[in-house]
Amino acid sequence: MVAQILDGKKIAADIKQELRSRIETLKQHGIEPGLGTILVGDDPGSRAYVAGKHRDCQEVGITSLRIDLPADAPAQAVREAILSFNADPACTGYIVQLPLPAGMPSNELIELIDPQKDADGLHPVNLGRLVLRVGEPLSTSLPCTPAGILELLERYGLSLEGKRVAVLGRGVTVGRPAGLLLTRREINATVTLCHTGTPDVPQIVRESDVVIASVGQPHFVKPEWIKPGAIVLDVGVTRVPNPETGRFKTIGDVDPGVAEVAGWVSPNPGGVGPMTRVMLLRNIVETAERQYSAS
Ligand SMILES: NC(=O)C1=CN([C@@H]2O[C@H](COP(=O)(O)OP(=O)(O)OC[C@H]3O[C@@H](n4cnc5c(N)ncnc54)[C@H](OP(=O)(O)O)[C@@H]3O)[C@@H](O)[C@H]2O)C=CC1
Ligand SMILES: Nc1nc(=O)c2c([nH]1)NC[C@@H]1CN(c3ccc(C(=O)N[C@@H](CCC(=O)O)C(=O)O)cc3)C=[N+]21
C-alpha cells in the first residue's frame, strides 16, 4: 500500500481564501484584525517561523505587529512587550514565540498574556477551558497545531470518532493540548499520550489507528511500528544545516518508509506546518469576529 497524502499546503491555501472574505467583511464594519508576535533572541528556526507568520498576515489582509528583543533581554523587557500588546487596541491577538531563551520565566510570562488575546491558545485559562468545557462549545482560541491537525483530517473526511490515537510527545505546543482536544466529546478519540517515560512506544503505535508524531527526533517513527492503513501525522521538526548550500533542511519525526504501510500520511514539510500557521490566522479572525458581535 502507498499512503494517500494529507496535503496541508493545499488545504491551508483553501482556508486562507475563506479567511480573506471574512477579513473583508470585518473591514467593511470598520474592524482591522491585527496579529502581534514577540520574538526573543536569534534562533534561526524561530526567526523563520515568525517571518512566515508576518508573510501570511500580509497575504490575507491582517495587520501585523512585531516586537523583537535581543537574546540577552531581561524578563522585564518581555513583560513590558506583553503588557503593551495587551493594551494595544490594534492588536487583536498575539503570540510569544516559544521556546524563550533559557532562564526566562516562560510560564509566568505566558500567564501575563490577556487570555482573550492569546492567539496560540496556550494561556492556562484557555487550556483550562479545554479541560473544563469538555462537552460544551468553546469560544476561545484553540492551540494552533492540534487544531490544524483536526481541520486537516476533517477536510479529508477522516473522523476520529472511536479511533485509538497515539500522541508521541507531551510538549506544551503539540502533544499535551492534542490529548485535550482529541478527547473532547465532539471528537471522541481515545488517546495514549507517550513521552520518554513510556515503556514500549512501538507497541502502543502498533495498536493505534492514528499516530501524531511530535517528539522532534528525526525519523523516530518506523514503518514496522505502523498498523496497515493507519493515519500518520508528522509534526516534529528537526532543522539540519546542509553544509553545501548553507541552508537548513527540515527532517520530520516519521521515517519515509512509513508511507509504504500507512493509509494516510501528512508530509513534512507541507503538512501540519502550513495548517498550524493558518490556524493562527483563523484564531485572529475569530477573535475579531467575537469582538465585533460583542460590540
Ligand atoms: N509542524 C508544526 O507546525 C509544529 C511543529 N512543532 C515541532 O513539534 C515537536 C514537538 O514540539 P513541542 O510540543 O513543543 O514539544 P517539546 O519539543 O517541548 O517536547 C518534545 C516531547 O517529545 C518527547 N520525546 C522526546 N524524545 C522522545 C522519545 N525518544 N520517546 C518518547 N518521547 C520523546 C519529550 O518527552 P519528555 O516530556 O519525557 O521529555 C517531550 O514530551 C518539535 O519538534 C517542534 O519543533 C511544534 C509546533 C508546530
Ligand atoms: N508560541 C509558539 N507557537 C508555535 O506555533 C510555535 C512556537 N511557538 N515555536 C516553534 C514551533 C514550530 N512551529 C512551526 C510552524 C510552522 C511550520 C511550517 O510552516 N513549516 C513549513 C516549512 C518551513 C520550512 O521550509 O522548513 C512546512 O511544514 O511546510 C513549522 C513549524 C510553530 N511553533
Side-chain angles (χ1 to χ4, degrees), residues 2-179:
V2 177
Q4 301 188 69
I5 299 296
L6 295 162
D7 187 346
K9 207 170 162 186
K10 177 192 173 291
I11 301 294
D14 293 347
I15 297 174
K16 268 189 193 166
Q17 195 53 41
E18 294 158 22
L19 291 175
R20 276 191 194 95
S21 73
R22 287 164 71 176
I23 292 163
E24 204 40 58
T25 308
L26 282 164
K27 288 185 175 173
Q28 281 162 9
H29 291 97
I31 297 189
E32 293 274 343
L35 169 73
T37 63
I38 297 176
L39 171 66
V40 187
D42 39 32
D43 172 70
S46 296
R47 285 206 162 272
Y49 299 142
V50 168
K53 285 160 191 171
H54 287 272
R55 264 199 315 277
D56 292 342
C57 284
Q58 206 174 11
E59 271 179 50
V60 297
I62 291 177
T63 307
S64 60
L65 309 154
R66 173 166 190 161
I67 300 178
D68 289 2
L69 297 168
D72 60 356
Q76 187 55 25
V78 186
R79 275 187 208 106
E80 281 163 16
I82 290 173
L83 295 176
S84 78
F85 276 155
N86 283 351
D88 184 353
C91 176
T92 310
Y94 64 98
I95 65 149
V96 177
Q97 181 69 26
L98 300 174
L100 286 166
M104 278 282 171
S106 297
N107 291 335
E108 179 208 313
L109 292 166
I110 291 173
E111 290 202 30
L112 264 189
I113 298 173
D114 175 349
Q116 297 205 36
K117 291 194 175 195
D118 167 31
D120 256 341
L122 297 180
H123 186 283
V125 164
N126 294 327
L127 287 177
R129 286 190 178 138
L130 208 49
V131 176
L132 201 57
R133 301 187 183 177
V134 68
E136 295 167 45
L138 284 170
S139 60
T140 43
S141 288
L142 294 176
C144 298
T145 306
I149 291 170
L150 281 183
E151 188 69 30
L152 185 59
L153 294 174
E154 204 169 285
R155 300 241 173 179
Y156 278 90
L158 300 169
S159 161
L160 294 182
E161 177 81 35
K163 294 279 164 54
R164 280 174 182 253
V165 182
V167 175
L168 311 184
R170 59 179 156 190
V172 76
T173 44
V174 191
R176 190 163 286 256

Side-chain angles (χ1 to χ4, degrees), residues 222-286:
K222 304 297 179 204
E224 53 279 15
W225 302 3
I226 302 295
K227 185 174 178 177
I231 300 171
V232 182
L233 294 132
D234 188 355
V235 186
V237 288
T238 308
R239 285 164 61 88
V240 290
N242 178 338
E244 281 166 28
T245 60
R247 293 177 66 92
F248 284 89
K249 184 176 171 343
T250 296
I251 308 213
D253 278 359
V254 174
D255 187 287
V258 165
E260 306 295 321
V261 188
W264 294 88
V265 292
S266 75
N268 189 354
V272 174
M275 292 302 296
T276 298
R277 278 161 57 176
V278 82
M279 288 298 108
L280 183 65
L281 303 178
R282 189 176 80 178
N283 280 345
I284 294 297
V285 171
E286 289 182 350

